[in-house]
Amino acid sequence: MKRIFLIHLITLFTVNCFSQEISQKEIRKKMKAKEIILGYNYGEEMVLAKMKSTKKWGLYNVFSGMDIEDFSFEEVISPKFDSLSFFEQEARFQIVKQKDKYGILLLPYEIEDAADRVNCKFDKIIHKKVDGEDYVLIKEGGRWGLIDWFEGFYIVDPIFDTPEEVPLIKMERWMVETFKLVKTKLNADLVIFDPNNGDGALKARSKKTKKWGMYQFLDMNMEEKELIPMQYDSINFYSFNGKYTAVYNNGKVGFYLSYWSYDKQAKETVACKYEDYKRFDADGVSKLAVKKNGKWGWVDWLTGEEKSEFIYNSTDDLPYPHYKQNYWFGD
């Protein structure tokens, strides 16, 4: 409420400042505008004007004196939008409208051809700011996705029914070209980079089958390394120096060995038939507990062999895992 009051107060003050010297009617006549909104943007006197010639809104720097003869203006954004506003403080873009479609207008002081780059083709746009990051959700063809607000490419294809379902994926500048390459080469509709290891690993979902795989692209001229094939409903990233990770199908979890540890021997060693899992460090050795038919037991993550009965109600009830857990085949 305080912010709204302050905005109204600033607007009233601004209008009064203009009005003390030149009337809005005189300004409209001088600019050949149907409507105007007076204000300040980035410390400069500015006007939003709906021009008679186009019946669209544009943005103008204005230079005013004591009377209308001293008034002049300079176009910042050409009058081509059905909706337009002053840029908010520190904002680098805004949502604009043309013929009932929406697009992204970049900051004209940073991008010389900002207005020409706008592509109003979306049914709706939602701007979310999370932890200082800007995310632009778009609706197209009745479905929601995510675009890069600066370059306009799809980070997440419009495949979701609601905006709440769209994953907010952060796209660093160094990721962009790799991201585009991955989507093309793998025919993927979703790509998520490993946020922890920073080694070029990523998850990609097949546009055709909707199954996930994991890959590594270290160089734009290299062939991709397939870490996990595209055959899972979901996949977890490997932990740092982890020997295996969880993979899921039909609501059940299994485990896949790390390519970096096992090279060509990397494979699914524990089938996707368990309901839950928990890792344990048993005297410095990684042990894996899994849940089956509502009960817990131990499983060898290297071979998939079950190492106990499944009769325990919780992981706290599990007996100590005395079995030998090998780290390498042939041990």
Side-chain angles (χ1 to χ4, degrees), residues 18 21-22 27 30-31 38-41 43-47 59-76 109:
F18 275 104
E21 301 167 355
I22 309 169
I27 294 173
K30 181 77 178 247
M31 295 186 69
L38 310 176
Y40 280 85
N41 218 172
E44 300 288 337
E45 287 184 337
M46 303 198 80
V47 169
L59 179 65
Y60 301 84
N61 281 320
V62 296
F63 311 94
S64 58
M66 295 303 296
D67 56 53
I68 193 63
E69 298 303 322
D70 299 321
F71 179 89
S72 62
F73 58 96
E74 182 181 77
E75 183 180 277
V76 178
Y109 307 106

Side-chain angles (χ1 to χ4, degrees), residues 31-291:
M31 295 186 69
K32 298 180 181 178
K34 190 174 181 179
E35 299 178 49
I36 61 170
I37 300 173
L38 310 176
Y40 280 85
N41 218 172
Y42 287 83
E44 300 288 337
E45 287 184 337
M46 303 198 80
V47 169
L48 286 168
K50 186 176 184 179
M51 305 301 279
K52 290 181 178 179
S53 58
T54 64
K55 295 182 175 57
K56 304 289 183 181
W57 289 90
L59 179 65
Y60 301 84
N61 281 320
V62 296
F63 311 94
S64 58
M66 295 303 296
D67 56 53
I68 193 63
E69 298 303 322
D70 299 321
F71 179 89
S72 62
F73 58 96
E74 182 181 77
E75 183 180 277
V76 178
I77 298 294
S78 57
K80 58 192 296 185
F81 299 107
D82 297 329
S83 66
L84 188 64
S85 61
F86 294 112
F87 283 87
E88 295 182 4
Q89 190 67 27
E90 298 183 3
R92 299 185 65 192
F93 64 88
Q94 65 169 283
I95 300 168
V96 293
K97 184 180 180 183
Q98 276 182 328
K99 298 180 180 178
D100 295 324
K101 296 288 185 178
Y102 296 87
I104 296 295
L105 171 65
L106 300 176
L107 188 65
Y109 307 106
E110 293 183 355
I111 307 298
E112 187 176 347
D113 60 343
D116 294 330
R117 291 178 55 166
V118 177
N119 186 4
C120 290
K121 65 175 185 175
F122 302 112
D123 301 323
K124 194 172 182 179
I125 294 179
I126 296 175
H127 172 212
K128 288 186 178 181
K129 200 171 189 71
V130 180
D131 297 329
E133 295 291 333
D134 292 297
Y135 299 94
V136 174
L137 301 163
I138 53 89
K139 186 178 185 182
E140 188 176 20
R143 297 293 185 91
W144 287 90
L146 182 76
I147 64 168
D148 180 281
W149 60 263
F150 186 79
E151 295 194 15
F153 65 87
Y154 293 96
I155 298 174
V156 176
D157 290 351
I159 54 177
F160 292 96
D161 292 327
T162 66
E164 291 74 23
E165 296 175 81
V166 180
L168 300 181
I169 299 173
K170 183 180 177 182
M171 186 63 60
E172 302 284 359
R173 290 293 99 194
W174 66 267
M175 296 177 177
V176 172
E177 291 307 316
T178 301
F179 177 87
K180 292 177 180 177
L181 175 67
V182 170
K183 291 193 80 173
T184 300
K185 289 196 73 174
L186 301 180
N187 193 26
D189 60 7
L190 280 175
V191 175
I192 300 175
F193 285 85
D194 188 336
N196 300 314
N197 290 324
D199 56 5
L202 53 88
K203 297 188 291 189
R205 191 177 81 166
S206 167
K207 188 179 292 187
K208 182 179 180 180
T209 67
K210 306 303 180 185
K211 294 288 187 177
W212 288 89
M214 191 180 298
Y215 301 84
Q216 186 179 36
F217 285 74
L218 290 176
D219 189 293
M220 293 301 294
N221 297 317
M222 289 175 59
E223 288 296 317
E224 70 276 8
K225 288 182 180 178
E226 183 181 81
L227 308 179
I228 299 176
M230 269 182 178
Q231 59 186 39
Y232 296 99
D233 294 338
S234 65
I235 295 173
N236 291 350
F237 282 114
Y238 291 97
S239 60
F240 185 71
N241 287 333
K243 300 295 185 188
Y244 58 93
T245 194
V247 291
Y248 297 83
N249 265 330
N250 302 315
K252 298 294 180 70
V253 63
F255 297 89
Y256 205 100
L257 296 181
S258 167
Y259 176 90
W260 299 296
S261 295
Y262 298 97
D263 197 20
K264 294 181 180 179
Q265 289 184 307
K267 60 183 177 180
E268 179 189 291
T269 53
V270 180
C272 295
K273 62 181 183 179
Y274 298 102
E275 297 148 16
D276 201 358
Y277 75 97
K278 187 174 181 180
R279 301 173 195 251
F280 287 88
D281 186 315
D283 297 325
V285 178
S286 176
K287 298 292 179 75
L288 180 64
V290 291
K291 189 177 183 181

